[in-house]
Amino acid sequence: MARSDATEGQVADAVKGNWVDRLAPERTRPYLRLSRADRPIGTWLLLLPCWWGLALASASTGRFGLYDLWIGLGCAIGAFLMRGAGCTWNDITDRNIDASVARTRSRPIPSGQVTARQALAWAVAQSLVSFAILLTFNGAAIFLGILALAPVAIYPFAKRFTWWPQVFLGLAFNWGALLAWTAQTGSLGWPAVILYLAGIAWTLFYDTIYAFQDIEDDALIGVKSTARLFGDSARGWLAGFLAGAAALLALAIVMALSGEGAALLVALGAPLAFALHMGWQMRRLDTLDTARCLTLFRSNRDAGLLVVPFLAAAAAL
């Protein structure tokens, strides 16, 4: 249950001075912490591929109306809710592991703020509201939204059976590129699939950086990650993910806007800005500095946001 002194419930890697710890009613704080509302970067990383898909689809169709505006807003609300539901599910399945890791033992379940049963009820509630939003989209998008539950359900277990759990995170976190494209155009297209693959490469980049925070604890308890797999070779792998993400983003844009002249030229500024930001992260990266790894991981909100205005500008031409 929630503790009487709310400050004791703060999660170790939460953003300092976040609104949950400062402003949210005390009884709601453990549930908002389960949803990572005190760590908003995950919501951004789930939302941005949705906006990429919507903006690229709009540039491709030459159409952006009130319904498309709702797609963008609905994706934002849904990203908050589904990220919350996914993180809650992750914390339920990982409650014993989290209790053994310094960075995660302060999370609501291992620290005793909520029970696993209460957390499950919270995950279901968030999922149901998100599903209600999904029902406002077209049938093909609804079908894709339901399919998205599979990678979300599998991801928490991936680090137990593969050295590449970041792939499963990428499959889940970038699904919005497929869904938003389909909601805007009415059907799934190859540019959206390539955009999805670009997002997965990006996830491998940023979540490998993130995983270096826990590399020692993960080794002790036997949890797998790309950070542990790559070790001293991480920089080479990260450079490959950077190049792959930028190249696939450029390919998706060319496939969607081939023959569009000025719109294509403007849109191709997106992979350039995207790659430059990731290159900046590479130059600052020190895998032994956990605080810097967290800072660089969080900076990927800006990397993903850099893509949006270029695609939006292309859609406006």
Side-chain angles (χ1 to χ4, degrees):
M1 302 299 290
R3 301 177 182 185
S4 57
D5 182 358
T7 61
E8 293 183 6
Q10 292 177 357
V11 179
D13 58 355
V15 175
K16 302 305 179 186
N18 67 82
W19 71 273
V20 173
D21 293 336
R22 292 187 298 108
L23 302 174
E26 185 175 338
R27 293 184 66 180
T28 69
R29 290 177 187 174
Y31 297 95
L32 291 170
R33 289 166 182 150
L34 276 173
S35 298
R36 310 286 201 274
D38 53 347
R39 286 153 285 168
I41 179 59
T43 298
W44 280 109
L45 295 175
L46 187 61
L47 170 60
L48 287 168
C50 300
W51 283 356
W52 294 359
L54 174 61
L56 187 59
S58 295
S60 177
T61 61
R63 183 183 73 246
F64 190 87
L66 287 177
Y67 180 67
D68 302 305
L69 188 63
W70 163 246
I71 294 173
L73 179 60
C75 284
I77 300 169
F80 178 82
L81 291 168
M82 284 309 297
R83 190 259 182 146
C87 287
T88 304
W89 171 243
N90 184 81
D91 282 9
I92 292 168
T93 60
D94 280 0
R95 58 191 183 274
N96 295 325
I97 292 175
D98 286 346
S100 303
V101 177
R103 185 178 59 82
T104 58
R105 64 171 58 106
S106 58
R107 288 178 177 175
I109 299 177
S111 65
Q113 296 176 60
V114 295
T115 66
R117 180 174 295 183
Q118 289 170 324
L120 181 59
W122 179 235
V124 170
Q126 292 172 97
S127 299
L128 289 175
V129 177
S130 185
F131 183 64
I133 294 171
L134 180 66
L135 291 177
T136 68
F137 296 165
N138 59 45
I142 292 171
F143 177 71
L144 282 173
I146 294 171
L147 282 182
L149 294 175
V152 170
I154 294 170
Y155 167 65
F157 302 101
K159 57 184 168 287
R160 296 167 169 83
F161 64 80
T162 177
W163 286 101
W164 294 84
Q166 281 70 25
V167 170
F168 288 85
L169 181 67
L171 291 170
F173 258 56
N174 296 282
W175 200 270
L178 305 176
L179 194 151
W181 171 284
T182 303
Q184 204 279 344
T185 65
S187 62
L188 186 59
W190 278 109
V193 175
I194 302 303
L195 191 65
Y196 179 54
L197 296 177
I200 293 172
W202 180 39
T203 302
L204 282 162
F205 177 86
Y206 66 65
D207 205 58
T208 297
I209 293 174
Y210 182 81
F212 271 103
Q213 297 177 91
D214 300 328
I215 194 167
E216 292 183 2
D217 286 332
D218 287 349
L220 287 172
I221 60 180
V223 169
K224 299 178 174 67
S225 73
T226 49
R228 288 190 62 206
L229 176 65
F230 301 154
D232 294 337
S233 302
R235 283 190 173 275
W237 283 95
L238 290 172
F241 298 144
L242 184 164
L248 287 165
L249 176 57
L251 178 60
I253 290 168
V254 170
M255 291 177 69
L257 303 178
S258 178
E260 293 297 323
L264 174 60
L265 185 62
V266 169
L268 284 174
L272 176 60
F274 188 51
L276 286 172
H277 192 287
M278 287 191 287
W280 170 82
Q281 293 181 56
M282 289 280 293
R283 289 192 297 274
R284 289 186 52 82
L285 179 63
D286 178 354
T287 58
L288 300 178
D289 185 339
T290 58
R292 179 167 294 186
C293 287
L294 180 59
T295 297
L296 292 176
F297 165 74
R298 287 174 174 167
S299 77
N300 279 279
R301 179 202 65 175
D302 299 335
L305 275 172
L306 284 172
V307 173
V308 177
F310 289 98
L311 298 184
L317 293 175

